Amino acid sequence: MATTSRRALRLLSLLGSRRQWPLRDLAARLAVSERTVRRDLDTLRELGYPVATVRGPDGGYRLGTGHILPPLLFDDDQALAIAIALQTAPSTVFGLQDDTARALATLQQAMPETLRAAMESLRLTRLQNYWEFPAPPIDPAALSTVGTAARLRHVLVTELLRPDGTRPAPEDQDFAAARRLEPHHLVVWAGRWYLIAYDLDDHQWRVHRVDRLHPRPTTHGFDRRDLPGGDLAHFVMSSHDRGDTPAAWQCTGSARLNLPAHIVARWAPGGSVVEHLDADHCRLILGAWSWAGIAGILATFDTDLTDLHPPELLEACRRVARRHAAIPET
């Protein structure tokens, strides 16, 4: 019975991972006969899972839609993967920390003792990375508004927020008035949520950080547009203005790095700008309290630097290099 139950659980997991499964494929994955698979499918139906049979030469089985499923069941590998994901998920949406902790506790209570011990051995401690200057987490309501508008293809009216997440004063000239956007894509890159939208006011494609938007939904629909170049990842990485500009540092500079943008974006301080140049090069724009501070951050990438701006940054890099060269051997 225990073997049958584990196999039925594995079968349920397979059905949930793909829209449709031919009978022979299910039998091969479970290493049993097709007759045994049919019997296990009947077991799932008796438990209330809506397993539908698809007729025809390309038929098979799938989980039905439009039904209320019984409580979800996970095999050991799935449960452990979810537990790790809950511990390592970045805190980019505020207000969910308590919910995440409760979900992890609920999952842990349902685990058998051996699996609970394995999860405890993987329990993580979050360490503050003092090189990071993360953007304010996103309000779940704003993220939901943007995501729903993109899914339903409804125009958004948005205001740009300050880097600290506050709304600008009406007389603030650095921020434009409310914009009308067609939200086409919602993506996550380098720990930040971005909206790729078509701006109806200036008829340009734009990339906006969602945590820098105050969105208001509308019921005005729009038709799908083709993104220039057709490559979503390239468009995001190569856009020079994504709302990433650091907030009012004493010094702001840039350099061309002999590294791909996705590598630099992973390790660059939060709030910096990574511009995709080609497959092997990118430009990093960042701020610090001094020119030497920027030079120090650039040095951590351990690669050749060219095209440094402004001249103060170039001089700071040379000055730091001379200091290091003068360190006496011990």
Side-chain angles (χ1 to χ4, degrees), residues 15-330:
L15 290 171
S17 66
R18 210 163 83 185
R19 179 174 177 79
Q20 185 171 309
W21 283 88
L23 179 61
R24 62 180 178 278
D25 289 357
L26 289 173
R29 293 292 293 270
L30 296 171
V32 296
S33 67
E34 293 184 3
R35 181 179 178 181
T36 299
V37 174
R38 289 194 185 95
R39 189 164 56 244
D40 289 343
L41 288 168
D42 289 337
T43 298
L44 292 178
R45 291 186 179 108
E46 292 172 1
L47 291 172
Y49 289 93
V51 180
T53 301
V54 181
R55 306 295 180 183
D58 297 324
Y61 297 90
R62 67 184 179 196
L63 282 178
T65 58
H67 299 272
I68 298 177
L69 288 175
L72 294 176
L73 300 175
F74 301 105
D75 59 29
D76 287 2
D77 291 340
Q78 287 176 313
L80 197 58
I82 293 172
I84 294 172
L86 287 171
Q87 293 185 78
T88 57
S91 300
T92 58
V93 182
F94 66 72
L96 298 185
Q97 289 86 347
D98 290 342
D99 295 330
T100 300
R102 288 192 300 108
L104 186 60
T106 300
L107 182 64
Q108 186 177 4
Q109 290 173 3
M111 287 180 173
E113 185 60 37
T114 54
L115 189 59
R116 190 181 304 120
M119 195 203 81
E120 286 291 339
S121 69
L122 294 173
R123 186 170 291 279
L124 304 174
T125 300
R126 291 188 179 275
L127 299 179
Q128 174 67 43
N129 182 355
Y130 289 99
W131 284 100
E132 290 289 342
F133 309 98
I138 304 169
D139 184 342
L143 189 60
S144 176
T145 296
V146 172
T148 300
R151 178 173 58 85
L152 298 179
R153 292 185 183 170
H154 284 172
V155 172
L156 279 174
V157 177
T158 65
E159 294 178 73
L160 297 182
L161 302 179
R162 295 175 179 273
D164 61 2
T166 61
R167 297 172 70 176
E171 64 275 9
D172 195 330
Q173 299 299 316
D174 292 332
F175 295 86
R179 313 291 295 185
R180 296 179 304 123
L181 304 176
E182 292 179 355
H184 284 267
H185 305 279
L186 186 63
V187 301
V188 179
W189 183 52
R192 302 183 185 97
W193 292 82
Y194 294 97
L195 171 66
I196 292 81
Y198 186 80
D199 193 313
L200 293 171
D201 295 310
D202 61 10
H203 306 289
Q204 296 285 334
W205 283 91
R206 302 289 185 190
V207 180
H208 293 283
R209 269 177 52 175
V210 179
D211 63 289
R212 300 278 179 85
L213 296 178
H214 179 69
R216 301 197 304 273
T218 75
T219 57
H220 302 297
F222 63 87
D223 295 327
R224 180 181 176 275
R225 298 178 189 266
D226 292 329
L227 187 72
D231 188 329
L232 183 62
H234 181 269
F235 184 79
V236 173
M237 290 190 298
S238 61
S239 295
H240 73 281
D241 182 7
R242 296 185 298 266
D244 286 328
T245 305
W249 285 107
Q250 289 180 246
C251 303
T252 302
S254 67
R256 184 177 187 268
L257 281 65
N258 288 5
L259 287 172
H262 68 91
I263 296 295
V264 175
R266 181 179 179 185
W267 303 109
S272 56
V273 180
V274 181
E275 294 182 2
H276 172 85
L277 299 179
D278 56 44
D280 300 312
H281 301 87
C282 69
R283 171 167 293 281
L284 177 60
I285 306 170
L286 71 165
W289 66 275
S290 69
W291 297 114
I294 299 178
I297 296 175
L298 290 173
T300 65
F301 288 96
D302 193 23
T303 188
D304 292 338
L305 305 173
T306 56
D307 196 22
L308 278 73
H309 294 285
E312 290 86 350
L313 175 58
L314 177 60
E315 177 55 33
C317 288
R318 290 172 174 170
R319 187 166 58 251
V320 170
R322 290 194 295 268
R323 289 173 183 166
H324 288 182
I327 297 175
E329 296 184 4
T330 57

